[in-house]
Amino acid sequence: MHTVTRRLSNGMPVVLREFRAAPVVSCQLWVKAGSADERAHEAGLAHVIEHMVFKGTAKRKVGEITRDIESAGGSINAWTSLDETVFYVTLGSQYLNDGLEVLGDAVLHPAFEERELDKELPVICEEIRMGKDSPDRMVSSDLFSAMFQAHPYGRPVIGFQDTVQSFTAANLRDFYRRWYTPANMMLIIVGDFNEADLMPVLETHFGEGQKKRSPRRITRTAEPPQKKHRFHSRTMSTSECNLAIGFRIPGFQHEDVAALDVLGALLGQGASSRLELEIGRRLGLSSEISAVCYTPRDEGMFGVFAKAPPKELETLTREISKQIALLVEHLCQVEEVEKAKKLILSEDAFSLETVDGQARKLGYYRLYCDGEGYEERYTNAVRAVTPQLICDIARRYLCGPMSAAVVLPEPSLLSGPKPSWLTAGKTDTAHVHSLVRHAFEQGRKLTTTKIRKKDDVITHVFSSGDAVIIRKVDAPTVAARVAFIGGQRLEPAKVAGVGQLLGALMVRGTESRTAVEIATQMDNWACAISGFSGRNSVGISGEFLREHASGVMALMADCLYHPVFDETELETERAIFKQMVESSLTNARSVAFARFQKTLFGSHPYGRPIYGTLQTLDAIDQKALRQFHRKTVQQQKMALAVVGGVDVDEMLATAEKYFVRPRLKPANPVTLAFEPKAGPVYKYGEMVKEQSHLVIGFPGTTLNSPHRFAMDVMVEILGGHGGRLFQTVREQQSLAYDVSAFSFDGLEPGFMAVYGATSVGKEERFVSLVLEELARIRKVPPTDMELERVKRYLIGSREIAQQRFAARAAEASLRWLYGMGPEDTAEYVKEISKVSATAVRRLASKVLNPNHMIVSVVGKGASHLKFD
């Protein structure tokens, strides 16, 4: 693909890549300033500016920036990182000029009104509190603070509550003037446009201002050499330990980065990585484990992240250290290195599917490197990595002192034998640090274990009733999805969660392949294959390069039709699922939704936890798995959808050879129903958290309902970023960082719900505001402007989502399976366009019935709340 770099009259660089695979364009404005450019008292200021850029300009009032982009069928958002802030718009190419005008106005002319800042700062404080409830976020934040005690990378990007609350509009304007200059920005555009036509438009919207030098950067305090291990630990309301171990490595431009990336992939990325096979699978110590190589502008971090039961913390640390030591002291096999290189290089091919992915990649390469030649040099460096270089790199960076962060469960949440770090019922932090240090140093000595070697759409329905849907796209990648009626809806209550276990175990051994052989083959082909089980369906999916299509499809069929449900693998997966269930019990959002769904659906399967319960998981054995496999995969008709760079005739032959087969006599059709509860019904759950989590919901529609398009429109009017709830609850009242509306449609009626999280003591006001908005949409039809904006957004977001081949394959297979017809984007546009304001009001009157309302609240002191 051809990429050019131009400069506007004010010095702003512009990177353009024409890419016409879909009528979509991504516009990203990169600002070379992030949290590491803040002074200590400014911690979080870059992130606040990211928020406030969307709070109006001289030309647009609050909410109008998002409204105007959604009216053009697109979406606008931003992110702040250590070294950059990025504002981006993705929309249909026919609205490119409109999107550029809005993006330029928002970023180049923010109002920074004191009144709006006073409203937004409480919202950001809610976001900070939300992060404090997440063990994953806290262990990552704690690791960085341990590793970088002098350098600003040790501060959280979002800042601290005391610094954020201190900011004034003057602070924002000072930081903005310092960093938001044309020479310190870069505009990147990828998609369906013509370069010659675009440049005058860019000059109009982004070319203002005088040409100046880039701002003088603050000299960042260098992190001194680390001479000993560093530790950080905390306790939280969680059911397992989160462990993070990190080592300092060079930044983005260093010549060792490519080899470090390969080292990270080999150690902890992919189903057959060393950490996953040895620690996750063979030893069963960790429910999740991975390795990450993070390389920002300055020094970076090579990290290992893992979750495990509290009693296994010491053993887990020792085994991680041991696997690192093996890389230092023993040469890897050539095949293992080649597999890791394929994993990294295949990401380039998959990133070509979306304009957002291409633009983001260009941003990093062009902002921090010389741009034009870096990508090629990096690719060549990856290809040149050898086993000896892996050993040298591991010895260079992973042999010195490490930093570790641990999130431990609250002592009151522990059951069974108590871990050694509890003293008189309290966490002994010093003992935790000693334990981790001792285990890590011990693991480095245990290196004698040997390493194991291990577009066009065509639909064809066969006489068996199985269907194959193929959409050919000129691309190097392919996505395939095989689906059957099944999922949670057909699970027996006593073995709830059996579908999820079935999906996980499909790729964990067949009659002819072991789990390790399957994982190794997937990594060798740089493909991803996984089983799935949802509310209404079960099956297997894959993403792969087109040159491996035949082999991958054969492997998928083997996993689908011949799983052995090995007892050892079953126990490993069961332990992982039980850990997930236990984690959900300490997650207030999950608990609020679980209580809502149980109350709404009663004994209907939709009311059960998707992963089952600790009791039902214990009841699932090989017999239960085989029975569910027979009821779904062997008895139901199949829908296979393939999207990507395939030969249609060859793929039809492959599908018939591997997937199409006579079905066993199907069971009698299942008819399920539930009666809506007479309400309103209020459910209160106690949980000590920074925020209370609330779900306000109602019975919804079905997948085949003629009202499902009006439901999409109504939900977006209420809960989108430009929607009524967002404007009322967040923008005007600053009650929540996150408030949203969404719907679930099933083969039987699903639900429509509003979710939000707010501070303790603000719950009643939150619910009152939501109910006011629900009452308003029941009585008053939306305005023509509001309706048009939402329709454009829904249509545009669908086009954006359909860039991913996997998304197209999933939709095609499920639509055929559910008897919904081959609805394409043109038909969706037609149906959404037909939705009237009256239809939205009528649907709201029917669905948002207070007599069927269920309110679920989980938080500190929730049991004392009374909304009725």
Side-chain angles (χ1 to χ4, degrees):
M1 287 171 291
H2 184 56
T3 305
V4 298
T5 302
R6 302 284 186 256
R7 284 191 181 271
L8 302 181
S9 58
N10 60 7
M12 182 185 294
V14 178
V15 180
L16 305 174
R17 174 180 286 180
E18 296 181 25
F19 182 74
R20 295 189 170 87
V24 177
V25 183
S26 177
C27 311
Q28 299 186 358
L29 186 58
W30 287 61
V31 183
K32 197 173 182 180
S35 64
D37 296 300
E38 301 161 344
R39 301 178 178 94
H41 67 278
E42 297 175 324
L45 187 55
H47 177 253
V48 172
I49 287 179
E50 175 215 313
H51 277 239
M52 290 299 296
V53 159
F54 295 104
K55 299 300 175 183
T57 67
K59 184 176 181 180
R60 289 178 169 84
K61 297 179 181 178
V62 175
E64 292 184 356
I65 293 171
T66 300
R67 181 205 64 188
D68 289 352
I69 290 296
E70 290 184 350
S71 295
S75 61
I76 185 169
N77 214 325
W79 79 79
T80 307
S81 188
L82 298 173
D83 300 308
E84 78 278 339
T85 306
V86 182
F87 303 88
Y88 61 95
V89 171
T90 308
L91 74 175
S93 53
Q94 69 270 35
Y95 297 111
L96 176 57
N97 195 355
D98 296 334
L100 290 169
E101 190 274 327
V102 175
L103 181 64
D105 184 38
V107 181
L108 301 182
H109 306 103
F112 293 149
E113 293 184 0
E114 197 78 54
R115 178 182 58 185
E116 293 303 323
L117 179 62
D118 290 342
K119 292 180 181 179
E120 192 63 20
L121 292 183
V123 172
I124 296 173
C125 288
E126 291 292 342
E127 186 180 0
I128 293 173
R129 294 188 189 98
M130 182 173 66
K132 290 181 178 179
D133 279 342
S134 169
D136 291 341
R137 291 188 184 184
M138 295 315 300
V139 78
S140 178
S141 175
D142 290 346
L143 179 61
F144 270 86
S145 66
M147 293 181 67
F148 299 103
Q149 298 178 355
H151 192 283
Y153 283 173
R155 297 194 302 258
V157 171
I158 199 170
F160 307 100
Q161 193 158 332
D162 58 345
T163 57
V164 169
Q165 289 175 328
S166 73
F167 295 149
T168 65
N171 299 141
L172 271 64
R173 294 189 186 101
D174 179 65
F175 191 90
Y176 180 89
R177 285 192 295 266
R178 197 187 321 158
W179 297 109
Y180 282 62
T181 64
N184 204 48
M185 297 180 180
M186 177 179 294
L187 182 61
I188 299 173
I189 305 179
V190 177
D192 180 24
F193 63 86
N194 181 278
E195 177 196 343
D197 297 337
L198 188 59
M199 285 304 298
V201 177
L202 299 181
E203 190 66 47
T204 298
H205 298 317
F206 296 91
E208 63 184 68
Q210 296 182 351
K211 190 173 183 179
K212 298 179 180 179
R213 292 182 179 181
S214 297
R216 184 176 180 179
R217 310 202 75 82
I218 299 172
T219 301
R220 298 176 179 177
T221 303
E223 188 70 26
Q226 187 171 334
K227 298 181 179 180
K228 60 182 181 179
H229 300 315
R230 296 176 179 175
F231 301 95
H232 193 295
S233 61
R234 71 171 68 225
T235 58
M236 292 183 65
S237 178
T238 181
S239 60
E240 57 188 340
C241 290
N242 285 53
L243 171 67
I245 295 175
F247 302 87
R248 282 160 54 186
I249 58 175
F252 194 80
Q253 296 190 56
H254 197 277
E255 61 183 2
D256 289 341
V257 165
L260 281 163
D261 285 344
V262 177
L263 174 62
L266 187 152
L267 181 65
Q269 297 166 27
S272 63
S273 67
R274 291 194 177 186
L275 293 177
E276 176 64 22
L277 284 181
E278 293 297 323
I279 297 176
R281 293 291 168 181
R282 186 177 66 83
L283 297 176
L285 292 173
S286 181
S287 58
E288 293 181 31
I289 189 164
S290 62
V292 175
C293 183
Y294 177 64
T295 49
R297 189 187 115 192
D298 299 336
E299 280 191 306
M301 179 269 296
F302 188 99
V304 174
F305 294 81
K307 297 180 181 180
K311 65 179 181 179
E312 304 291 3
L313 176 60
E314 183 174 8
T315 306
L316 173 67
T317 306
R318 182 171 60 249
E319 291 298 327
I320 290 173
S321 177
K322 172 183 169 183
Q323 290 302 319
I324 293 172
L326 283 168
L327 290 169
V328 170
E329 298 188 15
H330 298 270
L331 285 179
C332 306
Q333 296 294 319
V334 173
E335 296 84 358
E336 192 178 14
V337 177
E338 292 302 312
K339 177 186 65 180
K341 290 156 65 172
K342 288 178 182 177
L343 283 175
I344 293 173
L345 295 175
S346 68
E347 293 178 3
D348 292 339
F350 286 110
S351 72
L352 298 180
E353 290 186 7
T354 67
V355 291
D356 289 326
Q358 293 185 49
R360 185 163 184 160
K361 187 175 179 181
L362 284 172
Y364 282 112
Y365 287 167
R366 299 303 174 95
L367 201 63
Y368 298 116
C369 306
D370 58 9
E372 298 291 342
Y374 181 83
E375 184 171 2
E376 183 178 0
R377 291 200 308 274
Y378 174 81
T379 300
N380 291 337
V382 169
R383 290 181 174 139
V385 173
T386 63
Q388 184 60 59
L389 181 56
I390 288 291
C391 188
D392 293 342
I393 290 292
R395 187 175 294 120
R396 190 174 305 162
Y397 296 109
L398 307 186
C399 283
M402 59 86 179
S403 298
V406 189
V407 171
L408 304 160
E410 292 281 358
S412 61
L413 297 176
L414 296 174
S415 58
K418 303 299 182 184
S420 62
W421 39 267
L422 280 186
T423 303
K426 296 183 179 180
T427 301
D428 185 340
T429 302
H431 183 65
V432 172
H433 296 173
S434 176
L435 177 150
V436 172
R437 179 179 61 253
H438 176 75
F440 184 82
E441 292 172 348
Q442 185 182 43
R444 284 181 163 175
K445 303 173 183 177
L446 303 176
T447 58
T448 57
T449 303
K450 293 182 179 179
I451 301 173
R452 294 186 293 170
K453 297 181 182 179
K454 304 249 174 262
D455 273 6
D456 295 326
V457 180
I458 294 176
T459 301
H460 188 93
V461 181
F462 292 88
S463 58
S464 63
D466 295 332
V468 177
I469 306 108
I470 301 174
R471 180 187 289 270
K472 182 177 179 179
V473 181
D474 186 15
T477 56
V478 184
R481 180 107 166 180
V482 191
F484 306 81
I485 292 292
Q488 182 184 40
R489 186 172 163 274
L490 295 188
E491 292 179 351
K494 293 182 179 180
V495 288
V498 66
Q500 294 291 328
L501 271 176
L502 173 70
L505 289 168
M506 279 184 184
V507 295
R508 303 308 306 168
T510 69
E511 295 172 4
S512 59
R513 294 177 172 93
T514 66
V516 172
E517 289 170 340
I518 293 171
T520 302
Q521 184 64 75
M522 282 196 287
D523 287 348
N524 282 333
W525 281 335
C527 70
I529 299 174
S530 59
F532 66 86
S533 182
R535 302 281 189 185
N536 308 290
S537 64
V538 66
I540 197 166
S541 61
E543 292 184 84
F544 44 92
L545 302 175
R546 63 186 173 193
E547 60 260 35
H548 300 311
S550 180
V552 174
M553 295 294 281
L555 179 58
M556 287 174 63
D558 188 30
C559 293
L560 179 67
Y561 290 126
H562 306 293
V564 293
F565 308 126
D566 177 79
E567 190 67 44
T568 301
E569 295 294 337
L570 170 58
E571 291 306 315
T572 299
E573 292 296 337
R574 190 200 315 276
I576 293 173
F577 277 55
K578 290 176 75 172
Q579 187 61 63
M580 293 167 62
V581 170
E582 289 183 341
S583 295
S584 72
L585 298 177
T586 62
N587 183 297
R589 184 182 190 276
S590 298
V591 173
F593 268 101
R595 293 169 67 89
F596 161 71
Q597 291 176 208
K598 178 63 177 175
T599 305
L600 174 64
F601 294 114
S603 60
H604 189 287
Y606 289 163
R608 304 174 197 145
I610 191 72
Y611 291 103
T613 66
L614 298 177
Q615 292 73 30
T616 61
L617 287 172
D618 279 335
I620 299 172
D621 56 15
Q622 291 175 316
K623 181 180 178 182
L625 287 160
R626 293 190 184 104
Q627 287 176 341
F628 192 72
H629 186 264
R630 177 186 178 91
K631 183 193 296 188
T632 55
V633 174
Q634 296 182 43
Q635 291 184 294
Q636 304 290 336
K637 293 179 182 178
M638 175 204 75
L640 165 60
V642 182
V643 180
V646 297
D647 180 278
V648 173
D649 291 334
E650 289 181 2
M651 183 51 65
L652 279 173
T654 298
E656 185 172 18
K657 177 179 180 181
Y658 293 120
F659 292 95
V660 178
R661 58 185 58 205
R663 299 289 163 195
L664 299 176
K665 182 180 179 180
N668 294 328
V670 176
T671 302
L672 301 170
F674 71 94
E675 289 294 327
K677 298 288 186 295
V681 178
Y682 298 89
K683 293 291 181 179
Y684 306 98
E686 281 287 338
M687 188 172 290
V688 179
K689 296 287 185 180
E690 292 277 339
Q691 295 179 302
S692 293
H693 296 250
L694 304 96
V695 179
I696 304 169
F698 308 83
T701 59
T702 65
L703 287 161
N704 288 290
S705 169
H707 304 298
R708 66 185 184 276
F709 301 104
M711 177 68 84
D712 284 355
V713 173
M714 182 182 76
V715 167
E716 189 59 34
I717 287 173
L718 286 170
H721 273 192
R724 296 180 180 184
L725 292 171
F726 190 89
Q727 293 301 317
T728 301
V729 176
R730 172 175 164 152
E731 300 294 273
Q732 296 175 16
Q733 299 295 323
S734 302
L735 285 177
Y737 173 77
D738 183 12
V739 58
S740 55
F742 48 91
S743 62
F744 155 65
D745 304 326
L747 291 177
E748 284 84 42
F751 63 79
M752 181 272 168
V754 174
Y755 163 77
T758 191
S759 293
V760 175
K762 298 180 180 180
E763 300 92 346
E764 294 179 8
R765 181 60 179 154
F766 178 93
V767 172
S768 175
L769 287 173
V770 170
L771 295 184
E772 287 175 12
E773 289 298 336
L774 299 185
R776 182 160 73 97
I777 201 170
R778 287 198 306 268
K779 298 175 183 178
V780 183
T783 65
D784 292 343
M785 182 180 295
E786 190 175 26
L787 196 63
E788 184 62 23
R789 173 185 65 81
V790 166
K791 288 180 179 181
R792 287 188 177 183
Y793 173 75
L794 290 171
I795 292 168
S797 61
R798 177 183 169 84
E799 289 178 338
I800 292 168
Q802 290 293 298
Q803 294 178 94
R804 293 291 307 179
F805 295 171
R808 295 191 219 175
E811 181 178 50
S813 63
L814 294 180
R815 290 194 62 81
W816 188 90
L817 203 62
Y818 300 150
M820 299 169 67
E823 177 189 296
D824 57 15
T825 296
E827 177 149 358
Y828 184 80
V829 171
K830 176 183 176 182
E831 294 297 331
I832 287 291
S833 299
K834 289 193 312 186
V835 175
S836 66
T838 300
V840 172
R841 188 193 63 77
R842 286 175 178 170
L843 179 66
S845 297
K846 178 181 178 180
V847 172
L848 306 179
N849 186 342
N851 293 326
H852 294 154
M853 180 177 71
I854 296 170
V855 178
S856 173
V857 188
V858 173
K860 183 179 179 181
S863 59
H864 300 295
L865 296 171
K866 295 297 178 185
F867 300 110
D868 53 344

